[in-house]
Amino acid sequence: MIGKQRWAIADGYIPEESTGPEPELTSHDTVCILNAGDEEATVELEVFFTDREPVGPYEETVPANRTKHIRFNGLEDPEEIPKGTPFACVIESDVPVVCQQTRLDSRQAENALLSTIAHAGDS
Amino acid sequence: MIGKQRWAIADGYIPEESTGPEPELTSHDTVCILNAGDEEATVELEVFFTDREPVGPYEETVPANRTKHIRFNGLEDPEEIPKGTPFACVIESDVPVVCQQTRLDSRQAENALLSTIAHAGDS
Amino acid sequence: MIGKQRWAIADGYIPEESTGPEPELTSHDTVCILNAGDEEATVELEVFFTDREPVGPYEETVPANRTKHIRFNGLEDPEEIPKGTPFACVIESDVPVVCQQTRLDSRQAENALLSTIAHAGDS
Amino acid sequence: MIGKQRWAIADGYIPEESTGPEPELTSHDTVCILNAGDEEATVELEVFFTDREPVGPYEETVPANRTKHIRFNGLEDPEEIPKGTPFACVIESDVPVVCQQTRLDSRQAENALLSTIAHAGDS
């Protein structure tokens, strides 16, 4: 078993433009969740903004012994996350998981990447 | 509740030149702060240099349940942070927050990105 | 002595295409392991997918006081990891080690890089 | 006070070639050290390789309330670190410091960046 039940990302951002073939090189911001345990994870994402109330929860399930790479651009319920807008995200799971953020920015002809393991809460 | 009250970044740097449309693709170094709690955060940034005394505090507030993405290039009080100069930063908050650093370097025609969750202090 | 015996990476991905001279600029995803102790480390990698059972263990040894940078693209036993497919990885070692992930993406003419220290388990 | 006395980086690598004006855009791998305390830090770097004994210590001092961004390419004593060669590094300090690794890879016309806070030891 490895992981924590609460994670946070402070720098969320979906670049507005993209260059290159879709969907691989479409600009995206992603949270990748690993559930290395034997029970399905029910995961809730809450998204925070600069100047309005948080939106969520976005509900996801990650089956036992699986990983799920979730593009913030693909979230729709309760609402889409706007592009070109700073956000942040808290991830809560009912079982331990591991969270990592990765962004691909293809606004220019050649893409740029960033990634970091998210911040794990104590509990 | 998630976060810590003290954070540090060791590699701060604002590239001197930029390519592409402003302000999105202006070279910048950023500290992104998430306040996922129910109380406003008063945050103080202290900036460290190689060869002179630290500068600060730079004071910021992050409202309850909000995120704030702060460009080091935009800080003015008590003084601007020079470009092309190595620095570091300690972030202190009166309530728990989460801090992440991201730099966009557009000195060349195609941008480059780096990001990392900051180092969280114990207390 | 520094390190932990269990580590995880949530965002594994080997880009399908590459540009530039091989093998340095071949797109790759890597786990870099440091064994700074005085005993050889026996390391097992387990690889998780989105829609099928985990594969592994991939067994590696890292001698005392050595580092080993392992490309996921190079793993063959028990089976190759497919390109263009999201995966995740848990790393277990019989002695403390330090793990860091780095990806080089050369699908486009200019390469992009990401890196993060992996998530360390508690035990 | 923030920081730890022992840190590690598992993926060190100095790219062999560079494009663009020196020294800013020379390919480099860097460890950035922040000493946010009131006592000078004496820091020792030990560098680990794949197939030979570790080299070190490389000794550095970081004055109180200062940061030092050290390029691995610039280290000379006890010996230079070869380019194009995987390495790793353990950093030990006599007072708490914060360590972050950043690499600039300018082998191609447009640079790429990676960065991560190093792994902090328990003690």
Side-chain angles (χ1 to χ4, degrees):
Chain A
M1 182 72 75
I2 188 168
K4 297 282 182 179
Q5 290 182 244
R6 186 172 287 184
W7 295 82
I9 295 164
D11 179 16
Y13 187 81
I14 306 167
E16 280 186 274
E17 281 116 48
S18 298
T19 312
E22 297 181 1
E24 310 93 86
L25 295 183
T26 303
S27 287
H28 57 263
D29 208 356
T30 311
V31 57
C32 300
I33 303 174
L34 167 61
N35 177 7
D38 292 328
E39 289 178 70
E40 180 176 84
T42 300
V43 179
E44 295 191 341
L45 311 182
E46 186 156 21
V47 177
F48 296 79
F49 296 96
T50 298
D51 51 8
R52 60 173 173 127
E53 287 297 297
V55 174
Y58 295 86
E59 294 196 359
E60 299 278 343
T61 57
V62 186
N65 289 305
R66 296 289 185 277
T67 185
K68 194 164 189 175
H69 294 195
I70 301 166
R71 290 189 180 196
F72 287 107
N73 345 4
L75 297 177
E76 293 185 341
D77 181 16
E79 62 181 71
E80 290 189 14
I81 298 174
K83 294 180 184 176
T85 301
F87 66 90
C89 183
V90 171
I91 302 105
E92 295 202 68
S93 172
D94 59 348
V95 296
V97 295
V98 177
C99 292
Q100 181 173 351
Q101 178 202 14
T102 297
R103 185 186 305 154
L104 183 141
D105 182 341
S106 68
R107 285 177 292 186
Q108 297 187 307
E110 311 298 326
N111 59 23
L113 286 171
L114 66 81
S115 189
T116 185
I117 294 287
H119 172 67
D122 292 322
S123 57
Chain B
M1 183 73 74
I2 187 167
K4 297 281 182 179
Q5 289 182 244
R6 186 172 288 184
W7 295 82
I9 294 164
D11 179 16
Y13 187 82
I14 305 166
E16 280 187 273
E17 281 116 48
S18 298
T19 312
E22 297 180 3
E24 312 93 87
L25 295 183
T26 302
S27 287
H28 56 264
D29 208 357
T30 311
V31 57
C32 300
I33 303 174
L34 168 60
N35 177 7
D38 292 330
E39 289 178 70
E40 180 177 83
T42 300
V43 179
E44 294 190 341
L45 311 182
E46 186 157 20
V47 177
F48 295 79
F49 297 96
T50 299
D51 51 8
R52 61 174 173 126
E53 287 296 299
V55 174
Y58 295 86
E59 295 196 359
E60 299 279 343
T61 57
V62 186
N65 288 304
R66 296 289 185 275
T67 185
K68 194 164 188 174
H69 294 197
I70 301 166
R71 290 189 181 196
F72 287 107
N73 347 1
L75 297 177
E76 294 184 341
D77 181 15
E79 61 182 72
E80 290 190 14
I81 298 174
K83 294 181 185 175
T85 301
F87 65 91
C89 183
V90 170
I91 301 105
E92 295 201 68
S93 172
D94 59 347
V95 297
V97 295
V98 177
C99 292
Q100 181 174 351
Q101 178 202 13
T102 297
R103 185 185 306 153
L104 182 142
D105 182 340
S106 68
R107 286 178 289 186
Q108 298 188 306
E110 310 299 327
N111 58 23
L113 287 171
L114 67 80
S115 189
T116 184
I117 293 287
H119 172 67
D122 292 323
S123 56
Chain C
M1 182 74 73
I2 188 167
K4 297 282 182 179
Q5 292 182 243
R6 187 172 287 185
W7 295 82
I9 295 164
D11 179 16
Y13 187 81
I14 306 167
E16 281 187 272
E17 280 117 48
S18 299
T19 313
E22 297 181 1
E24 311 93 86
L25 295 182
T26 303
S27 287
H28 56 262
D29 208 355
T30 310
V31 59
C32 300
I33 303 174
L34 167 61
N35 176 7
D38 292 329
E39 288 179 70
E40 180 177 83
T42 300
V43 179
E44 294 191 341
L45 312 182
E46 186 157 22
V47 176
F48 296 78
F49 296 96
T50 298
D51 50 9
R52 60 173 173 125
E53 287 297 299
V55 174
Y58 295 86
E59 294 194 1
E60 300 279 342
T61 57
V62 186
N65 288 303
R66 296 290 184 275
T67 185
K68 194 164 189 174
H69 295 196
I70 301 166
R71 289 188 183 198
F72 287 108
N73 344 5
L75 297 177
E76 294 185 342
D77 180 16
E79 62 181 73
E80 290 189 13
I81 298 175
K83 294 180 184 176
T85 302
F87 65 90
C89 183
V90 171
I91 301 104
E92 295 202 69
S93 172
D94 59 347
V95 297
V97 295
V98 177
C99 292
Q100 181 174 350
Q101 179 202 13
T102 298
R103 185 186 305 155
L104 182 143
D105 182 340
S106 68
R107 285 178 290 188
Q108 298 188 307
E110 311 298 327
N111 58 23
L113 286 172
L114 65 80
S115 189
T116 185
I117 293 288
H119 172 67
D122 293 323
S123 58
Chain D
M1 183 73 73
I2 187 167
K4 298 281 182 179
Q5 291 182 242
R6 187 171 287 185
W7 295 82
I9 294 164
D11 179 15
Y13 187 82
I14 306 166
E16 281 188 273
E17 280 116 48
S18 298
T19 312
E22 298 181 2
E24 311 93 86
L25 295 183
T26 303
S27 287
H28 57 263
D29 207 356
T30 310
V31 57
C32 301
I33 303 174
L34 167 62
N35 177 7
D38 291 330
E39 289 179 69
E40 179 178 82
T42 300
V43 179
E44 295 191 339
L45 311 182
E46 186 156 20
V47 177
F48 295 79
F49 296 97
T50 298
D51 50 9
R52 60 174 173 126
E53 288 296 300
V55 174
Y58 295 86
E59 295 195 0
E60 300 278 342
T61 56
V62 186
N65 288 304
R66 295 291 184 277
T67 185
K68 194 164 189 174
H69 294 195
I70 301 166
R71 289 189 182 196
F72 287 108
N73 346 3
L75 297 177
E76 294 184 343
D77 181 16
E79 60 181 75
E80 290 189 13
I81 298 175
K83 295 181 184 175
T85 301
F87 65 91
C89 183
V90 170
I91 301 103
E92 296 201 70
S93 172
D94 59 346
V95 297
V97 295
V98 177
C99 293
Q100 181 174 350
Q101 178 202 14
T102 298
R103 185 185 306 154
L104 182 142
D105 182 340
S106 67
R107 285 177 289 187
Q108 299 187 306
E110 310 299 329
N111 58 22
L113 286 171
L114 66 80
S115 190
T116 184
I117 293 288
H119 172 67
D122 293 323
S123 56

